[in-house]
Amino acid sequence: MRVTIEQRTLRFRRPLQTSYGALAQREIFELAIEGADGVPGRGEAAPLEPYDGVSDDRARAALEAYRPILEDGEALAGGELLDACRAADDLPQALAAVDMALWDRAGRRAGKPVAALLTDSVLGEVLVNATIGAEDRAGAAASAEAARRAGFRCVKLKVGIGDDAGRVAAVRAALGPAPELRLDANGAWTVDEAVRTIDALAAAGLELVEEPVHGLGPLRDVRERVTVRIAMDETTDVPGALASGAADAVCLKLARCGGISGLLACASLVRASGAEPYVASTFDGPLGIAAALHAAAALRIQAACGLATLDLFTDVEHTLAVRDGTIAVPRGPGLL
């Protein structure tokens, strides 16, 4: 197969403040494959070192290790190709690009959207949340008002930076009582800090709090001591986390799961534990968001997914527009 790898810089419209620092831009790697039949497939690797510890150089090295395997893999089935790449370098963020490209190529060959290859019963659109960075009260309120006017039914606010009570109150006042409000602390708190803060903020009407602390034991402790639902995010990297039942909900991301195939398997483990899965991005590009939409639609996920992130960038053209708090699943062959 013919293989190309291109690096692309995505720049945020304004720096996004999180508990692990401000993000001004991020790098992604677009992988394209094309078989002798002329049918292409595209995928995307989206490492985010401050979040997952995977550097851009590490991701590129893994993709380059896959190149000769893909080039010589015309006769192999998709699963065999993915296994061969995994044996060469087991890096989920890079394997996600291969997995996406193989699903994209399969959809194009079949003349069907990827979601239709995954199941016969797919959602036509996926509910998504707006994301508000750790801005001051006025900025957070203005972003919440804009989200409400745009029809979002769920808003996620980054917390763990400071003035959380003031910012949460400002956001809830701007949203009104109806939209769901979820918080994301990115593990910024200790157990006691998390319990104290969540108890203080619960009156604002919280759908859930995502990753208030890191670790299975701490998450269990917080969950047992508060009335608000607790979601797991970064802690999913801990062995056994997905089936642990340590949280009420689990945030799954394509890059961390190794692509669509891995995300579907992860969602099965989460559901078997009694927790609710939902899907979010690591500020991916259009291919990553499209792949996540196909996966969420095939899984028929009902919770709002964190996939309305493309408009955070200044230089990304896409057709995955948010309408009334949802994004329509692409209906063309392949991913997009």
Side-chain angles (χ1 to χ4, degrees):
M1 285 192 289
R2 187 161 63 92
V3 178
T4 60
I5 301 167
E6 294 185 0
Q7 186 171 350
R8 184 179 178 191
T9 301
L10 306 182
R11 294 178 175 81
F12 287 89
R13 294 185 185 278
R14 54 184 174 181
L16 184 72
Q17 299 290 335
T18 74
S19 63
Y20 52 78
L23 299 176
Q25 65 182 48
R26 56 114 66 255
E27 304 294 319
I28 62 171
F29 299 88
E30 294 183 354
L31 170 71
I33 60 176
E34 185 175 317
D37 55 8
V39 179
R42 295 189 300 155
E44 176 186 291
L48 187 61
E49 188 170 8
Y51 169 80
D52 57 24
V54 178
S55 68
D56 297 337
D57 289 344
R58 177 73 180 89
R60 176 177 280 282
L63 290 171
E64 290 295 346
Y66 304 156
R67 184 192 293 272
I69 297 169
L70 295 170
E71 288 176 338
D72 296 336
E74 188 78 41
L76 297 178
E80 294 173 318
L81 265 177
L82 194 61
D83 287 343
C85 290
R86 183 178 292 108
D89 193 339
D90 190 1
L91 185 68
Q93 289 78 4
L95 289 169
V98 177
D99 182 79
M100 284 183 223
L102 291 171
W103 278 112
D104 187 38
R105 179 168 146 77
R108 292 176 184 277
R109 293 179 69 181
K112 295 181 178 181
V114 168
L117 300 181
L118 301 174
T119 181
D120 291 332
S121 178
V122 302
L123 297 177
E125 56 189 23
V126 174
L127 185 68
V128 294
N129 64 266
T131 299
I132 300 176
E135 306 169 15
D136 59 20
R137 295 187 191 188
S143 295
E145 172 64 19
R148 185 188 62 79
R149 289 198 307 268
F152 281 97
R153 287 167 261 175
C154 180
V155 169
K156 180 168 83 169
L157 175 66
K158 293 284 189 179
V159 293
I161 299 296
D163 192 28
D164 289 333
R167 292 167 51 256
V168 168
V171 167
R172 174 51 79 191
L175 289 176
E180 294 178 337
L181 175 59
R182 68 175 57 156
L183 307 182
D184 182 7
N186 292 115
W189 299 319
T190 66
V191 169
D192 287 341
E193 287 172 339
V195 171
R196 186 167 58 250
T197 304
I198 293 169
D199 282 346
L201 300 179
L206 304 179
E207 178 221 8
L208 57 79
V209 178
E210 191 175 287
E211 196 75 9
V213 293
H214 289 319
L216 292 177
L219 277 174
R220 285 194 184 96
D221 288 346
V222 173
R223 184 188 182 204
E224 290 172 358
R225 294 170 58 185
V226 300
T227 57
V228 177
R229 296 172 72 223
I230 300 300
M232 180 191 304
D233 184 1
E234 290 91 336
T235 295
T236 57
D237 277 345
V238 175
L242 294 176
S244 69
D248 301 287
V250 177
C251 179
L252 300 176
K253 296 178 178 176
L254 276 176
R256 194 169 52 209
C257 293
I260 294 171
S261 303
L263 192 147
L264 297 179
C266 289
S268 294
L269 285 174
V270 171
R271 283 175 166 165
S273 78
E276 178 183 25
Y278 61 99
V279 181
S281 86
T282 47
F283 305 111
D284 304 343
L287 286 170
I289 296 297
L293 287 169
H294 284 284
L299 290 165
R300 299 189 65 81
I301 288 177
Q302 301 300 310
C305 292
L307 301 175
T309 53
L310 290 175
D311 287 341
L312 296 175
F313 301 112
T314 62
D315 50 359
V316 177
E317 294 183 4
H318 66 91
T319 58
L320 302 172
V322 181
R323 293 185 175 85
D324 294 325
T326 67
I327 302 178
V329 180
R331 298 182 180 180
L335 290 175
L336 277 171

